[in-house]
Amino acid sequence: MKRITLLLLTCLFIVAEAWGEEVVLAKKWDAGSDPAAYLVSEKLDGVRGIWDGHHLYTRNGNLIHAPHWFTAGFPTQAMDGELWMGRGRFSEVASVIGRGSATDQRWHQVQYRVFELPGMAGDFTARSREIVRLTTDAGVPWLLPVQQFRVKNAAGLRKKLESVVAAGGEGLMLHRADAPYVSGRSALLLKYKPYDDAEARVVALISGRGRLAGKTGAIEVETKDGRRFRIGSGFSDSDRANPPPIGSIITYRFNGLTSSGLPRFPRFMRLRPADKTGRL
């Protein structure tokens, strides 16, 4: 029995460590392309959560300590989605998840919005219908599907993006309606935002001057391919007083690349919720 238990725990650890490579990740949408072959949804600014039928995990395979009542009615089908509290509330939901406390009363404000069913056969159209069926049958008020819709042309897509951004949203996601489930970064799933964004690891904190004396003036970050640059804007006064720690992963926004391949006008967006892997 002990040997079987140890084997099960080892398998769970391996699966959790691999999540970062197995989940589906998006590429960038070409604004001039035809969206007719895609199902479109709003890009929710929450914390990614993968349900394995028993527990919730982060994108990189770390256990999310959700209350038992929160997941009690979830189906045994694996699901991929977003733990979300509403537009513009990323910091709040990240705080709830980051604390690792199942007793945090703010869990009552969290929704789990499902946008994918890992490993399910069939195309995305079929999977999106199954998501609606699963979440409806579960009867859990905070377990909801991400709404998928069609857009006829590029002009309609731009209009929808403008509407979502004006209302405080981040952007749109486009998923090929005929796509099978695939893991990793794929052109079958695309994101459309009014700016570029990416992640980088914090490697240094630079002290501020003048009115920022005694606070952080900028951070130096390193991308996955080893490029280093500084980010000095986008921080609130609270961020500068309590900057992202060295070694943490942050999301930044930018407007294209310079001739040397560095982000143009990088701005801090947010700190990614803490995880054990530290992977980009």
Side-chain angles (χ1 to χ4, degrees):
M1 179 62 71
K2 289 183 177 179
R3 185 176 181 180
I4 293 174
T5 301
L6 180 60
L7 179 60
L8 287 172
L9 289 173
T10 301
C11 290
L12 283 173
F13 176 78
I14 292 172
V15 169
E17 285 297 296
W19 270 120
E21 300 302 323
E22 291 184 352
V23 297
V24 60
L25 299 170
K27 290 189 174 182
K28 183 181 176 182
W29 171 257
D30 180 350
S33 300
D34 182 2
Y38 295 80
L39 284 171
V40 184
S41 62
E42 180 176 343
K43 185 181 186 303
L44 303 180
D45 52 342
V47 174
R48 186 82 171 265
I50 296 92
W51 172 252
D52 70 351
H54 304 282
H55 300 94
L56 278 168
Y57 292 90
T58 67
R59 191 177 94 186
N60 284 324
N62 297 297
L63 181 66
I64 294 173
H65 297 281
H68 174 71
W69 60 260
F70 186 84
T71 59
F74 284 14
T76 55
Q77 164 73 46
M79 301 183 293
D80 194 352
E82 204 85 1
L83 291 160
W84 192 64
M85 292 174 71
R87 290 168 172 163
R89 300 183 67 184
F90 172 83
S91 296
E92 293 177 71
V93 70
S95 173
V96 174
I97 307 305
R99 284 188 63 195
S101 173
T103 62
D104 193 321
Q105 290 301 303
R106 291 176 298 174
W107 273 105
H108 290 280
Q109 302 176 48
V110 178
Q111 298 175 351
Y112 184 45
R113 296 273 185 147
V114 182
F115 54 70
E116 185 57 282
L117 298 177
M120 178 182 164
D123 60 23
F124 183 66
T125 299
R127 295 198 303 279
S128 64
R129 289 172 181 161
E130 180 65 6
I131 288 170
V132 173
R133 188 194 69 79
L134 281 172
T135 54
T136 301
D137 289 353
V140 178
W142 46 89
L143 177 64
L144 299 164
V146 170
Q147 182 185 8
Q148 304 288 340
F149 53 89
R150 294 275 192 173
V151 176
K152 292 183 179 180
N153 50 42
L157 186 66
R158 286 194 299 273
K159 186 175 181 180
K160 184 62 179 178
L161 176 68
E162 291 168 1
S163 173
V164 166
V165 172
E170 281 201 349
L172 301 174
M173 301 296 295
L174 295 95
H175 202 138
R176 283 281 306 196
D178 60 355
Y181 180 82
V182 295
S183 60
R185 200 167 296 280
S186 169
L188 299 176
L189 178 65
L190 303 165
K191 56 184 176 181
Y192 184 27
K193 304 172 73 172
Y195 53 81
D196 297 310
D197 64 24
E199 293 182 335
R201 180 177 290 105
V202 179
V203 295
L205 304 177
I206 294 87
S207 298
R209 298 179 180 179
R211 77 170 189 86
L212 297 180
K215 297 182 179 180
T216 299
I219 59 175
E220 184 174 346
V221 299
E222 183 178 69
T223 62
K224 190 173 184 178
D225 60 3
R227 294 177 182 269
R228 291 194 177 196
F229 57 93
R230 291 185 178 186
I231 301 175
S233 60
F235 299 99
S236 66
D237 288 341
S238 176
D239 292 330
R240 293 188 186 281
N242 300 281
I246 292 175
S248 63
I249 307 300
I250 62 103
T251 301
Y252 64 94
R253 59 187 289 181
F254 60 103
N255 299 97
L257 301 175
T258 66
S259 58
S260 58
L262 294 177
R264 188 187 303 275
F265 309 124
R267 293 174 56 85
F268 174 78
M269 286 184 65
R270 58 196 179 210
L271 174 67
R272 196 173 82 182
D275 60 66
K276 297 176 183 177
T277 64
R279 289 184 298 205
L280 289 172

